[in-house]
Amino acid sequence: MLAGVTTEPAYTLYYWPNIQGRGEFVRLTLEEAGAPYVDIARLDEAEGGGVASIFALLEARGASVAPFAPPILKHGDLVLAQTANVCAYLGERHGLVGDTDPARRHALQLQLTIADLAAEVHDTHHPVGSGLYYEEQKVEARRRTGMFLKERLPKYLGYFERQVELGGGPWLMGSTRTYVDLSLFQVLEGLAYAFPRGAAAVTASTPRLVALRDRVAALPKVSAYLASPRRIPFNEHGLFRRYPELDLSE
Ligand SMILES: N[C@@H](CCC(=O)N[C@@H](CS)C(=O)NCC(=O)O)C(=O)O
């Protein structure tokens, strides 16, 4: 799947083809950068795509530093993994972060905090082990999600709300949007999908984040992407899953 215009794609994204997952943080960054890319696993296997393309990259020999898990970005000979690392790389190349060292370090600090939050979201439906089905850990998932919605989510979103205020707004790092804003948008959308009640109860106290989410959705490139077939709908195989029994009850 080629996004962008007619030039040779500069980037190849390797990520599971049927979910947003962590790959979505990278997709949003590529889209807002206006960078041509191939989302390779969404191509047919006959064209070199499918999940086989991901396994081939994971098993390839030759790189001095190998990726552990997708999302993985290939750019020329460079093969980069870890979502925050990939987003920072793209952000720095495409004007989606300031160009001073402190600005870049602080953006990465915020992005890594989003990665921590993403891992805790994953653990709401898989608290015991990723190798087990959700149905095999429903009791633990309910307990874990209860704690997450009551304690962890207010702490994380309260932190990001204060950060918008500290930076002077309206974005996380002040007056210009960064790749971190795109990722925070994705988290807020995902939380609203997975926990409509639980997320709304928390975002009622984070008006700056709600405004930031709407501001990201209105960015012309993001808005075009969200309306395109490149945006995979949320589903119960990704990071943000809607299991009504886990959400706050009425
Ligand atoms: N910390 C890594 C986590 C990567 C990760 O967990 N990738 C998932 C998909 S979202 C995966 O396929 N993991 C395979 C595994 O951990 O064995 C990142 O942020 O990129």
Side-chain angles (χ1 to χ4, degrees), residues 15-16 19-23 25-26 54 58 68-72 81-86 112 115-116 118-119 122 130 238-239:
Y15 194 69
W16 308 117
I19 60 170
Q20 293 185 10
R22 289 180 174 84
F25 299 111
V26 180
I54 300 176
L58 287 170
F68 176 73
I72 303 162
Q82 288 292 349
T83 312
N85 185 37
V86 172
L112 286 164
D116 290 344
H122 169 271
S130 301
L239 192 55

Side-chain angles (χ1 to χ4, degrees), residues 118-145:
E120 293 197 31
V121 169
H122 169 271
D123 290 352
T124 60
H125 49 78
H126 277 76
V128 179
S130 301
L132 299 175
Y133 289 110
Y134 163 66
E135 287 71 21
E136 298 174 275
Q137 45 193 317
K138 279 175 87 160
V139 173
E140 295 88 348
R142 227 179 127 80
R143 195 162 174 219
R144 180 75 183 238
T145 306

Side-chain angles (χ1 to χ4, degrees), residues 10-33:
Y11 299 108
T12 307
L13 170 65
Y14 292 76
Y15 194 69
W16 308 117
N18 300 315
I19 60 170
Q20 293 185 10
R22 289 180 174 84
E24 200 64 13
F25 299 111
V26 180
R27 292 188 183 111
L28 279 164
T29 312
L30 285 161
E31 294 281 345
E32 178 59 9

